[in-house]
Amino acid sequence: MTTKPIYSKEWISLQEADHEFVVIKHNFRKTIDFLEQILSILNYDKELPYEDGLFQQQIALNLIRDEYFSDLELEILIPIIINIAVDGHISNIPLAREVLFNNAFNSNDIVRKKMTSMFDNFLKSEDDFIYMRLIELLIFLNYNDLRKILIDKCKNSTDENIVNLYTSFIQDYDWL
């Protein structure tokens, strides 16, 4: 004799909400201006209260994390997401990295191409925060050639904070 599991009303409500969310997400994805709305949210309006913009950006990153995008859509989205992953708010960086990782292995290697085209501008920043986030992203995406260039730049820098990144990187990751 099998007994039917008894679920709490909270669990049942959670299941119903999850189902409703999936339906709403599907319907949102089908809207004509889906990409424009996502782009607008990712580049959140600075006139919004700071927390509201970041929260909306977080929701957008969560929505697109597991989405399939065409190459044309990726060409538009990826640079914005790379910027969030390198120079965005600390709370949204992990989500941006996940979006990049989930799209890094598409057939046309768009994430790699965009990362490579943006790389020199990140290097020109001479900003230790950006360099640290960039190192982390390059490790995450396993872009060893770009990582080596960045590490060499850190090693040969005249800025003590950037040289400390090199030292920290070598100690933490044991990689030359």
Side-chain angles (χ1 to χ4, degrees):
M1 179 171 154
T2 305
T3 59
K4 187 175 182 178
I6 300 172
Y7 297 115
S8 68
K9 63 182 176 187
E10 291 81 9
W11 176 253
I12 293 169
S13 294
L14 184 62
Q15 284 181 306
E16 291 169 354
D18 185 59
H19 176 73
E20 185 175 341
F21 174 73
V22 169
V23 169
I24 291 169
K25 182 179 172 185
H26 173 76
N27 291 337
F28 176 58
R29 180 67 163 109
K30 297 295 181 190
T31 60
I32 294 171
D33 63 344
F34 167 76
L35 186 61
E36 290 79 15
Q37 288 187 64
I38 291 296
L39 289 170
S40 174
I41 295 165
L42 289 175
N43 288 312
Y44 70 89
D45 187 349
K46 304 297 184 203
E47 292 180 18
L48 285 175
Y50 187 66
E51 294 80 20
D52 290 347
L54 288 175
F55 183 66
Q56 287 187 33
Q57 189 180 66
Q58 187 177 48
I59 291 170
L61 289 167
N62 270 315
L63 278 173
I64 65 173
R65 180 178 48 209
D66 299 320
E67 284 287 326
Y68 171 79
F69 292 99
S70 70
D71 287 352
L72 181 60
E73 291 170 324
L74 286 175
E75 290 281 343
I76 297 166
L77 282 170
I78 293 302
I80 295 164
I81 298 169
I82 289 172
N83 276 324
I84 294 169
V86 174
D87 194 22
H89 190 274
I90 197 78
S91 63
N92 289 344
I93 287 173
L95 288 170
R97 287 181 187 165
E98 286 183 45
V99 173
L100 292 171
F101 183 80
N102 290 345
N103 289 285
F105 305 107
N106 77 342
S107 60
N108 290 321
D109 212 9
I110 293 169
V111 173
R112 171 67 179 203
K113 290 174 185 172
K114 293 295 181 182
M115 185 74 225
T116 302
S117 72
M118 297 171 72
F119 188 71
D120 287 338
N121 284 333
F122 288 129
L123 289 182
K124 288 177 189 173
S125 74
E126 298 279 334
D127 182 309
D128 56 327
F129 176 83
I130 289 176
Y131 280 18
M132 179 54 87
R133 299 293 87 75
L134 188 56
I135 288 170
E136 293 168 351
L137 180 59
L138 296 173
I139 290 168
F140 192 75
L141 295 173
N142 200 27
Y143 293 166
N144 293 334
D145 57 327
L146 296 176
R147 185 171 61 184
K148 180 165 178 19
I149 293 167
L150 178 57
I151 291 305
D152 287 343
K153 174 108 173 147
C154 291
K155 178 181 178 182
N156 298 317
S157 178
T158 57
D159 183 326
E160 184 179 329
N161 292 328
I162 293 175
V163 173
N164 287 340
L165 287 177
Y166 167 79
T167 305
S168 174
F169 180 77
I170 295 303
Q171 289 171 352
D172 293 347
Y173 297 102
D174 193 32
W175 184 85
L176 288 172

